Amino acid sequence: MTRSSSGDFFRDSSKQAAKNQADSQSVNAFLFSFCVLFLSQWPVQGLGAPPDIKAIKGDPKPQSRLWLDESEDRNVGNDLKNFGEGVASRIDRIVKKKSFEIGGDPWTMQGIPFAFPSPDSGFNLGLRLQMQNISRQDPHEMEVIGQVLSSDRGRQKHMLQVDVPYAFEGLARFTGRITYDREIALRYFGVGNNNKVDETLVRSESPLYQNMREGPSINLQFFRYWAKNIRGGPILNLKWTRVSYPPGSLMERDQPLGVAGGRTHSLGLALIYDTLDFEPYPSRGAYHEVFFDLANRGLTGSDYDFTRTTYTFRKFISLHRRLIFVHRTLLEYLSGEVPFFELGAVGGSYPSGALGGDRFLRGYEGNQFIDKLRLVFGFELRWDPLFLNFLKQELTIGFVPFLDVGRVWPTLVPDQFDNWHASAGWGVRFIWNSRLVVRMDTVFTADGFRITGNLGNSF
């Protein structure tokens, strides 16, 4: 799974006025119920009091699916239900303490069981747990994240990640991630910057945009610290993708490269300059990353030969102790035999979906704009006015107006600069122990609006 990591645990994408009103009422009811049930147990202990992030030891870090087999989906969520309920009942015993000990080291845990309906994937049920060894807190001595998510229509997003920022006595950082995704809600709208979407067909049983992609992936990163704020090294990515689509679909008509699925194993190299003050939830500093990735039949065993070059820039400016201005720039170019499902992905040490969805150019359909060259700008103003403390757990509630602008091109040298796409909106953030972020956004685009939710900040 791409980190993104985490899964889109609720969204409403209707653009028609009548349907918007009905859907937004159900969304608001869901969000209101969530807030009442969750926040009613969290009396305010202070306003804007910053969490304690001082390291305990050591110095800070170097800065409609008719074509699918219905038997596969039968009772797909039942196995998770008992598991989720059992684990969730045990989380409460641990989270009543801000930390607990394993092997003499202090650890902290955040866990969220989630159950939500989606017009695209059905009723979703899952659980996300993350544990950190906080003997060093910037960002942590070690972190383990696990997620299971399934829906009654067959969607699956499972992930296990281990991150050790100070491996080999602080000389290197190791991150390993294993995922399995079965995405039934991703659509195919064609390749290009000016794809028009008929929302009535997206939300209906029409096969026009439908397809299914599934498969496991393994991502291994090993970065050496070359200086206080500089690290870099290889990234090995192994990915298997199976694609299926119904008769009468746009994918059947276009037959884009990659329609047969296959392996896109690759070997990459990243160089990072990082001056962020606190990686899990920064308030100041900058992050630059240059990433080059090679998928090759002979070298990596890929079924496609292509390269990916990615530059990511993030800047955090503290305007006030509770107000942060944040900017992100993404510039990425792919060359060679690039399958369509890789055109819909962003590379680097934090891989994710590309334009559309809830991370880049929020508010548009996921994969609505895909091509070989992409440039995206994002801006947020993060205001965190409320700080709650209950049962030794810290919860910050923030509000975020944001703006995204971007577009794609078919060649390295752009031949035109019109038809940029923009989206804007505002959101709410629930930040648990300064490490686990739950976000809910209302996003407006030229096509209408949508309400999205996910785990983690967009950037």
Side-chain angles (χ1 to χ4, degrees):
M1 182 188 79
T2 58
R3 174 177 147 176
S4 62
S5 29
S6 304
D8 177 5
F9 66 84
F10 188 84
R11 70 175 185 175
D12 175 280
S13 304
S14 174
K15 310 287 193 302
Q16 293 182 309
K19 193 171 187 301
N20 272 341
Q21 183 176 1
D23 288 349
S24 62
Q25 288 175 353
S26 64
V27 170
N28 291 334
F30 172 79
L31 299 183
F32 177 76
S33 300
F34 173 87
C35 294
V36 169
L37 292 174
F38 188 71
L39 297 179
S40 62
Q41 307 301 318
W42 295 75
V44 176
Q45 301 296 322
L47 291 178
D52 181 10
I53 59 173
K54 184 178 180 180
I56 295 177
K57 73 176 184 181
D59 297 328
K61 72 171 180 60
Q63 305 266 6
S64 157
R65 303 152 37 262
L66 298 178
W67 75 101
L68 297 180
D69 184 357
E70 294 294 337
S71 65
E72 296 181 12
D73 300 339
R74 191 175 296 117
N75 299 322
V76 68
N78 291 343
D79 292 339
L80 284 174
K81 183 177 181 181
N82 293 334
F83 173 77
E85 291 176 351
V87 174
S89 67
R90 290 168 173 79
I91 294 174
D92 183 62
R93 304 176 187 175
I94 297 176
V95 300
K96 287 182 179 178
K97 300 180 180 180
K98 184 176 179 181
S99 63
F100 54 97
E101 287 193 359
I102 297 180
D105 285 340
W107 287 70
T108 185
M109 172 188 285
Q110 302 85 44
I112 293 185
F114 35 81
F116 59 93
S118 167
D120 296 321
S121 58
F123 186 80
N124 291 255
L125 180 66
L127 177 70
R128 181 184 178 95
L129 289 175
Q130 56 186 55
M131 299 170 51
Q132 298 91 14
N133 180 331
I134 56 172
S135 58
R136 187 195 302 256
Q137 291 205 26
D138 187 14
H140 41 255
E141 189 74 19
M142 181 179 182
E143 179 179 60
V144 181
I145 301 177
Q147 174 181 297
V148 289
L149 174 66
S150 289
S151 81
D152 58 355
R153 294 185 186 175
R155 179 195 190 196
Q156 298 184 44
K157 291 186 75 67
H158 312 311
M159 181 266 287
L160 177 64
Q161 175 177 298
V162 177
D163 181 38
V164 186
Y166 308 102
F168 303 103
E169 299 183 350
L171 295 178
R173 179 170 192 166
F174 170 79
T175 305
R177 183 186 305 115
I178 301 175
T179 69
Y180 179 83
D181 292 342
R182 189 174 191 261
E183 282 292 358
I184 62 174
L186 283 176
R187 308 299 193 216
Y188 174 75
F189 303 103
V191 178
N193 184 65
N194 301 312
N195 295 323
K196 301 300 181 182
V197 176
D198 187 334
E199 287 295 332
T200 61
L201 297 180
V202 173
R203 302 304 157 206
S204 72
E205 296 298 316
S206 169
L208 183 62
Y209 301 126
Q210 295 184 19
N211 67 99
M212 187 273 292
R213 309 167 203 178
E214 68 173 319
S217 66
I218 300 173
N219 184 278
L220 302 175
Q221 305 178 12
F222 186 84
F223 296 158
R224 190 183 190 280
Y225 293 111
W226 301 102
K228 179 180 179 181
N229 302 117
I230 300 175
R231 64 182 182 269
I235 297 179
L236 175 64
N237 189 59
L238 306 177
K239 183 178 179 181
W240 296 261
T241 304
R242 184 168 74 91
V243 179
S244 60
Y245 50 89
S249 65
L250 192 61
M251 187 170 292
E252 180 186 51
R253 187 197 73 183
D254 290 357
Q255 290 292 300
L257 183 64
V259 73
R263 303 183 301 267
T264 50
H265 304 338
S266 64
L267 181 62
L269 184 65
L271 181 63
I272 299 169
Y273 177 75
D274 179 3
T275 62
L276 301 182
D277 62 338
F278 183 60
E279 183 179 300
Y281 196 77
S283 61
R284 61 177 59 86
Y287 179 94
H288 299 264
E289 178 179 314
V290 178
F291 173 71
F292 178 78
D293 197 33
L294 172 67
N296 181 268
R297 288 181 173 85
L299 180 63
T300 65
S302 171
D303 290 324
Y304 306 89
D305 290 324
F306 66 93
T307 62
R308 181 193 302 271
T309 305
T310 310
Y311 170 66
T312 305
F313 169 64
R314 293 185 290 150
K315 179 67 176 179
F316 297 79
I317 301 174
S318 181
L319 304 177
H320 182 271
R321 66 189 180 94
R322 291 178 291 182
L323 188 64
I324 307 167
F325 174 75
V326 187
H327 167 68
R328 173 181 62 187
T329 295
L330 169 74
L331 176 62
E332 183 172 71
Y333 177 67
L334 297 96
S335 64
E337 303 172 340
V338 189
F340 77 93
F341 50 84
E342 290 294 342
L343 289 175
V346 169
S349 58
Y350 294 95
S352 70
L355 278 63
D358 61 70
R359 292 196 179 274
F360 296 92
L361 206 58
R362 289 164 281 187
Y364 288 95
E365 290 290 340
N367 292 329
Q368 184 171 343
F369 311 111
I370 61 174
D371 219 322
K372 291 188 174 182
L373 177 66
R374 57 188 62 129
L375 177 61
V376 191
F377 304 100
F379 307 89
E380 291 188 352
L381 191 61
R382 298 178 182 173
W383 179 43
D384 300 332
L386 300 178
F387 175 71
L388 297 77
N389 196 309
F390 184 66
L391 295 176
K392 298 184 179 180
Q393 300 298 299
E394 297 169 343
L395 178 69
T396 302
I397 302 177
F399 305 94
V400 182
F402 58 85
L403 171 68
D404 291 342
V405 180
R407 66 157 295 161
V408 299
W409 295 269
T411 59
L412 176 60
V413 180
D415 57 353
Q416 54 183 315
F417 291 90
D418 57 351
N419 295 326
W420 287 79
H421 308 288
S423 63
W426 60 82
V428 180
R429 303 290 183 266
F430 302 93
I431 305 108
W432 183 357
N433 286 341
S434 301
R435 295 180 181 277
L436 178 61
V437 177
V438 179
R439 58 186 163 94
M440 300 176 184
D441 295 329
T442 300
V443 194
F444 295 87
T445 70
D447 297 332
F449 82 94
R450 74 167 65 198
I451 297 174
T452 69
N454 212 328
L455 299 177
N457 278 309
S458 179
F459 58 93

